[in-house]
Every structure is written in structure tokens, then in C-alpha cells.
Amino acid sequence: MNRRLSSVTPYALLAPAFIVTLFVLGYPLLYEVVMSFRHMDLRFLDTGRFIGFKNYVMLAHDPLLWKSIINTIVITVPTVALEILGGLAIALLLNREFRGQSIVRTLLIVPMLLTPAAVALIWNFMFWTDNGMLNYLLSLAKLSGINWLGDPRVAPIAIIISEVWQETSFVFLILFAGLQALPQELPEAARVDGASWWQELTHITLPFLKPVMLVALLFRTMFTLRMFDKIFILTEGGPGNATSTLSIYLYKKFFYFFDVGYASAVAWLLVIITALIGFIYMRMMWSEVEI
Amino acid sequence: MSRMLHHHGRARTSNRVASTLGRVIAYLLLALMVVGSIFPLVVLFLTSLKARIDVLAYPPVWIFKPTLDNYRNILGTGGATGGEIIAQAGGTSFQTFFTNSVIVGTVTTIFSLLIGSIAAYSLARYNFKGKKGLAFALIALRMVPPIAIVIPLYIMAARVNLLDSKLLLILVYTSLNLSFVVWMLRGFFIEIPREVEEAAIVDGATRIQAFFSVLLPLVAPGLAATAVFTLIQSWNEFTVAYILTQRASRTLPVFLASFAQTEEGTYWGEIGAIVSLVLLPIVVFTLMAQRHLVKGMTMGAVKG
């Protein structure tokens, strides 16, 4: 084959993918930086006027932004923690041979596959205050019903429940895959040496799973931070601002207040936070992959 | 058996009891998890088969005379309720949302696989300057949160009159899916030895012929799994669709969202029907691609 031709070929094959990605993701991302330094009104769709760092200064002094950051943390941290713990527990429980194991595994991963908007509706139905299933179950236990989505103290918990219900299966799936790779001799040798179940878990299984757990942790954190669909459908950030996260806040600044520049600045904040986590993730992944 | 146990002494017996007890607890917990993970879904599905009087019954009824009325209402063969609901969602019929979702999903998948497979081939088979950096850039762009780029996309699309078009959704979904597709297919290509294609080239095929007639058929299962994931991704996507469409191009998740915060309970039967109709294809499709799930979900960071 022609040497010159072959040296161009790999780039030519990559070109379409790069052109599309740069055009649809890269360029808008850069344009968003430009917009974040301008005052722009959505209703006019013009280029607005340059105002320097004013949007970012406002950002730092905006109590609602800080509230959104706190809400994002309040929702993300318990969500990811519960998903990791739950996923780990299920993976350990399922990591034994029994009849019907593959059916159980399939049933357990169903939530992960569902349309998030549908999951939000399913839980909207479960949370229904008057005739909902959750309050019915509470009444069976002689407990009084909860205003799941209308009480500002409970609404974040409701969001967390719906998200944990759906995404725990993702964590389970990758931890389970990790467990399958555990060499069987290790736990067997430990058992012969008289190790207890707990010792086996803390000295063999968990250290072995650590890299996989980190992948799950970073992945889930990145995706929970940006969660928009469930919150928007379940509470729209309310009641009050109780579940208004960064995603919801930037959406509202954009569509309800038409403040394109300010919303862009909030969006960039989210991009930077994601990029920091993504960077760690990529470094981990990169050390594993041969390119 | 019991006599043998007796012979081995008390210590071993109690050990055995403990491990049996442990196993019973483990199975009970597992059963609980399985019930928990499908119970909400089953409850809403059952509701979709209830007549209105049963939907509103409290305490909830578990035994009822099933009806397909809710499905009839939604698919437009029923009475006024269906039309009322669809109009409330700003659409003309369930079928329009469904068609939009199918078109956007299918075209996105075709585009992503076409563009993605040649890029994956490049990464799998060639060594060239800057390869590592380019692969990194491609994956890094996948980390961008969709909610963070809808603002510039909205402004840019509005200026060129592309808002509320299926083409816009297809373009955005294709680029959001590309890095995933490239990464998946690259993995599948690497598993096929180079010699297979080289043999075809020696036999007089061009490199392009070898790619299409030898390599692609060999990775057909992987290609199919990747296609299924891409299809599901766009089928499920809400944020971009909600913000960049207004009426004509709305997809099913946006339709679903229009029932948000329906507390009165009037439409739960119909909502259950819609949710079931939206979820059915996903469940069928993923069961088909289950084997590749882990690899796909983590972009190969964890081997399945």
C-alpha cells in the first residue's frame, strides 16, 4: 500500500466522528464560555453585550446558587453512598451458585434500563399522598402518611429514593462483574485457614473490588450531579427551592428568567465540577487500557 | 445422614446449622431485593389494567376485573379521555410521539454506527501520531453533561431555525453516543486477529472491502449490542429532547413528563398504560443485549 496514503488514512477515518463531535459538543461548549461573559436575553436571541466577569461575580453572591450547590450535594452524596452499599450487598448475596441465579440477576437489573422519565412517573404514583402505595404500606404499619413531594424536608429524600431504586442495579452489575473475576483460590484458601465470613470480606473481597468500586463511585457521582429528568418531573425543584439542584437552577435561569449569560456561567460551573471527577476517572481508566 | 453428623461431633453440627441459617437469610434478603426492584413497576402496570373505579379505590385492590380501556384511550380508539390527555400533553396522538421516538432513535443509531465504526477501526488497527490524545478527546467529550450544553445549542438552533426538528435531536444524540460507540466497537475489533483481514487483502480485496465484507460480519453480535444501547439511549433521553423541541418533534419521554405531578389520580390508569407502552421495547431489547451490558455501561472500564 502507498505509504503516504496509509499515513493519512487513520486520520481520515477518525475525521467524521471528530467533525460531528466538535461541531455539536465542542463548539457549543466554547460558545457557552463566550456567552457567560455577556448579558444576553433569551427573548431577543441577539449576541447581547460584553460585561466581563459580572455574571461570575453575581454567581458568588447569589444565595440561590449556594442553595442549589448545597441541594446538589445533599442529594448526590446519600444517593451515591446508598447505591454503592446496596449494589455491593446485592452483588455479594448473588455471588453464589443456585438455580435461577440468572433470572434473579435479570430481574435485579430491570430498573437500570427503564426510561428515567417513566421511573419518575412510577415513583410519582408511589408517592401519591392520598391513595399512594407508599402511604398505604405505612398505614399497614400503623404509621401516618407522608406528604412525600410536598414537604420540603421530605422531597429530597423522595428524589433520592427514586434515583437509588433505579441506579443501584448499575452499581450491582459492575461490582458483580468484578466479583466474577476474583480468583476462586483466594477465598477458599482463607476459609481453609479458618477465616470468618467477615475477615474474608474485609481482607480479600473488598480490597480486590476496590478499583471497580472506585469506577462505580466516580461514574455514579458524575451522573447524579447532573440529574435533571427525575427532579424536574417529580418536583420541578420544589417545594420552594428544596430540590433545586445546579441543573434545575440553570434551567430556570435560562427558561424562566431568560438570563442566558448567567445560566451559561452556572452551566460552566457544572462542567468544571464534572470535569474534575471525569479527569480522575479517565486517569484510572487510561492506566488499564492499551492504546 | 443425621447419624453421620452425630458422629462428627457437636462443633461441626452447629457450624452446619449456622451456615444453613446464613444461606436462608441470604436468600430471604435476595428475594426482598427482587421484590423491591420490580414492585413499583408491577403496581403501575396493574393499574394500567384497572377501570377508573379500581384505580381510585382505597385501600388498593389487588383482585379486579382487568380491562384494556386505558390502552384504548391512549391509542385513540377509546372515548374522549384519551384525546383530552394527549391534548394536555400538547400533542396530536400517542402515535406521533411514538413515531418521533422511533425515527430519532433509528437514524441516530445508523449515523452513530456508520461514523463510529470507521473511527473505531482507525483506533483498533492503525498506529499514528497523536492517537492517544485523539482517543482521549473523544472520550472526554462524552463526559459533558447534556444539561450544560443545551443552552448554546438552543440559541444556535434558534438562529438557524432548527429548533423543534428531528434533525437537531439526531445530531445531538449522535454526538453524545459517538464516543461510546467508538469505544465499544474498538474493543470488538481488537478481539479479531489482524490476519483475518490481511488474508482477504492478499486474496485481492481492497482494505475497504475487507472491512465491510470480512471484519464487520465477524463482529456482528457486538455491532448489534452497540446498536441496541444506542437505540435505548436515545429512546430514554429526556433533557435534550425536552428543551430543544416544542411540539412537532417531541419524543415519548417528553410526553411522559407532561403528566408530572398529577396528584389528583384521575389519569393514573392511562399513565400506567403509556409507561408500559414506552418501557416494553426497552425490556425486550436489553434482554437481547444483556451479555454486553457491563462493558457498554462503563465504556470498557470494567470487563463484563
Side-chain angles (χ1 to χ4, degrees):
Chain A
M1 192 183 280
N2 186 323
R3 253 193 88 79
R4 239 180 75 88
L5 184 71
S6 79
S7 68
V8 176
T9 316
Y11 299 103
L13 293 174
L14 277 172
F18 267 92
I19 291 168
V20 173
T21 320
L22 287 177
F23 186 68
V24 184
L25 296 180
Y27 175 69
L29 213 51
L30 288 181
Y31 185 53
E32 197 165 36
V33 182
V34 175
M35 291 194 300
S36 75
F37 291 105
R38 305 188 78 86
H39 178 79
M40 281 171 77
D41 191 309
L42 179 60
R43 286 164 296 189
F44 306 131
L45 285 175
D46 57 359
T47 49
R49 60 168 206 281
F50 181 75
I51 53 165
F53 280 94
K54 218 165 166 183
N55 282 325
Y56 288 95
V57 174
M58 263 161 62
L59 212 72
H61 295 97
D62 179 355
L64 277 181
L65 178 90
W66 289 104
K67 171 99 174 117
S68 303
I69 292 177
I70 290 169
N71 285 341
T72 309
I73 296 170
V74 163
I75 289 177
T76 303
V77 173
T79 300
V80 176
L82 288 171
E83 284 168 5
I84 298 279
L85 283 177
L88 179 66
I90 302 174
L92 290 171
L93 285 172
L94 201 64
N95 192 30
R96 62 187 73 225
E97 276 177 31
F98 60 89
R99 260 180 49 190
Q101 193 224 37
S102 71
I103 297 171
V104 170
R105 199 188 62 177
T106 307
L107 288 175
L108 284 169
I109 59 172
V110 165
M112 173 184 95
L113 313 166
L114 307 179
T115 313
V119 172
L121 281 185
I122 290 172
W123 280 96
N124 203 356
F125 181 54
M126 300 294 286
F127 291 138
W128 184 11
T129 314
D130 300 331
N131 293 16
M133 188 53 65
L134 282 187
N135 280 352
Y136 169 67
L137 292 177
L138 285 177
S139 77
L140 290 184
K142 299 272 181 281
L143 294 166
S144 56
I146 294 172
N147 186 0
W148 292 95
L149 300 173
D151 184 333
R153 286 162 308 168
V154 186
I157 300 175
I159 302 284
I160 292 170
I161 292 175
S162 69
E163 180 72 355
V164 168
W165 179 78
Q166 176 162 37
E167 299 295 344
T168 298
S169 48
F170 168 82
V171 177
F172 149 69
L173 196 67
I174 72 169
L175 293 188
F176 189 67
L179 269 183
Q180 304 278 295
L182 178 71
Q184 276 311 299
E185 307 86 68
L186 282 175
E188 267 161 28
R191 253 169 263 155
V192 169
D193 289 344
S196 72
W197 170 85
W198 180 251
Q199 284 169 323
E200 188 190 318
L201 178 71
T202 50
H203 287 89
I204 295 172
T205 316
L206 287 184
F208 181 81
L209 277 183
K210 211 170 125 193
V212 185
M213 283 174 78
L214 205 55
V215 166
L217 179 77
L218 293 169
F219 218 79
R220 284 310 312 150
T221 309
M222 251 193 302
F223 281 83
T224 314
L225 282 174
R226 69 177 63 163
M227 188 195 344
F228 177 77
D229 33 26
K230 285 204 191 74
I231 303 180
F232 186 75
I233 294 171
L234 281 170
T235 64
E236 230 177 303
N241 288 305
T243 54
S244 173
T245 56
L246 278 173
S247 298
I248 298 284
Y249 189 58
L250 82 87
Y251 171 83
K252 286 188 171 169
K253 277 288 169 194
F254 184 62
F255 267 111
Y256 299 174
F257 297 94
F258 314 115
D259 197 340
V260 180
Y262 193 76
S264 299
V266 180
W268 255 92
L269 191 66
L270 186 63
V271 171
I272 290 168
I273 298 171
T274 310
L276 288 175
I277 301 166
F279 182 71
I280 309 173
Y281 177 74
M282 296 283 290
R283 292 239 350 212
M284 282 192 53
M285 191 176 145
W286 228 233
S287 57
E288 300 268 316
V289 180
E290 275 296 312
I291 270 282
Chain B
M1 186 76 185
S2 68
R3 193 178 297 167
M4 260 174 70
L5 270 179
H6 209 76
H7 270 289
H8 282 289
R10 203 166 288 173
R12 187 151 307 180
T13 317
S14 75
N15 230 336
R16 189 126 181 190
V17 169
S19 86
T20 311
L21 188 71
R23 206 172 304 156
V24 169
I25 292 174
Y27 287 135
L28 277 177
L29 282 174
L30 260 183
L32 203 68
M33 300 279 193
V34 172
V35 170
S37 79
I38 56 168
F39 178 72
L41 189 61
V42 171
V43 170
L44 192 55
F45 174 68
L46 286 179
T47 306
S48 78
L49 298 173
K50 285 180 179 176
R52 178 140 308 146
I53 185 149
D54 292 323
V55 172
L56 293 170
Y58 189 86
V61 286
W62 298 100
I63 295 157
F64 55 91
K65 194 166 165 278
T67 163
L68 288 176
D69 280 354
N70 294 316
Y71 291 88
R72 280 193 205 101
N73 280 345
I74 288 309
L75 296 172
T77 48
T81 341
E84 201 178 299
I85 293 171
I86 309 266
Q88 181 196 317
T92 44
S93 68
F94 176 83
Q95 285 83 337
T96 47
F97 296 106
F98 186 84
T99 315
N100 285 344
S101 273
V102 170
I103 293 174
V104 171
T106 316
V107 181
T108 298
T109 307
I110 294 171
F111 276 13
S112 311
L113 285 189
L114 274 177
I115 302 172
S117 62
I118 55 172
Y121 183 76
S122 168
L123 290 177
R125 286 291 191 258
Y126 290 91
N127 273 314
F128 52 92
K129 235 177 110 179
K131 182 178 174 183
K132 218 171 169 155
L134 287 174
F136 188 89
L138 202 59
I139 298 184
L141 278 172
R142 145 120 176 134
M143 311 272 171
V144 176
I147 183 72
I149 52 153
V150 286
I151 295 174
L153 283 174
Y154 184 94
I155 304 270
M156 288 159 62
R159 283 181 185 152
V160 292
N161 261 326
L162 259 184
L163 271 187
D164 201 17
S165 69
K166 290 192 248 323
L167 177 66
L168 176 64
L169 282 189
I170 290 167
L171 278 174
V172 178
Y173 288 175
T174 301
S175 53
L176 284 174
N177 276 318
L178 257 177
S179 59
F180 159 77
V181 170
V182 171
W183 211 244
M184 281 284 274
L185 292 181
R186 175 190 161 274
F188 291 122
F189 287 156
I190 285 177
E191 284 168 21
I192 310 286
R194 248 168 226 273
E195 290 74 27
V196 178
E197 288 156 79
E198 272 156 18
I201 292 170
V202 169
D203 287 346
T206 65
R207 199 145 188 152
I208 297 169
Q209 282 169 336
F211 173 71
F212 281 107
S213 59
V214 179
L215 190 60
L216 281 190
L218 279 175
V219 296
L223 221 51
T226 312
V228 166
F229 285 126
T230 315
L231 205 55
I232 291 175
Q233 293 284 349
S234 44
W235 187 264
N236 282 351
E237 207 286 333
F238 170 74
T239 309
V240 173
Y242 180 74
I243 294 174
L244 298 185
T245 65
Q246 281 147 356
R247 194 186 165 89
S249 304
R250 304 222 116 170
T251 51
L252 285 170
V254 183
F255 179 43
L256 286 174
S258 59
F259 300 106
Q261 294 155 49
T262 319
E263 274 266 327
E264 325 80 57
T266 332
Y267 293 140
W268 277 120
E270 283 87 351
I271 294 172
I274 298 171
V275 167
S276 307
L277 289 173
V278 171
L279 296 183
L280 186 69
I282 301 186
V283 174
V284 173
F285 268 131
T286 359
L287 294 182
M288 285 161 49
Q290 226 201 95
R291 218 159 54 81
H292 302 283
L293 222 52
V294 179
K295 207 185 202 172
M297 289 291 175
T298 59
M299 309 253 304
V302 174
K303 290 175 189 69

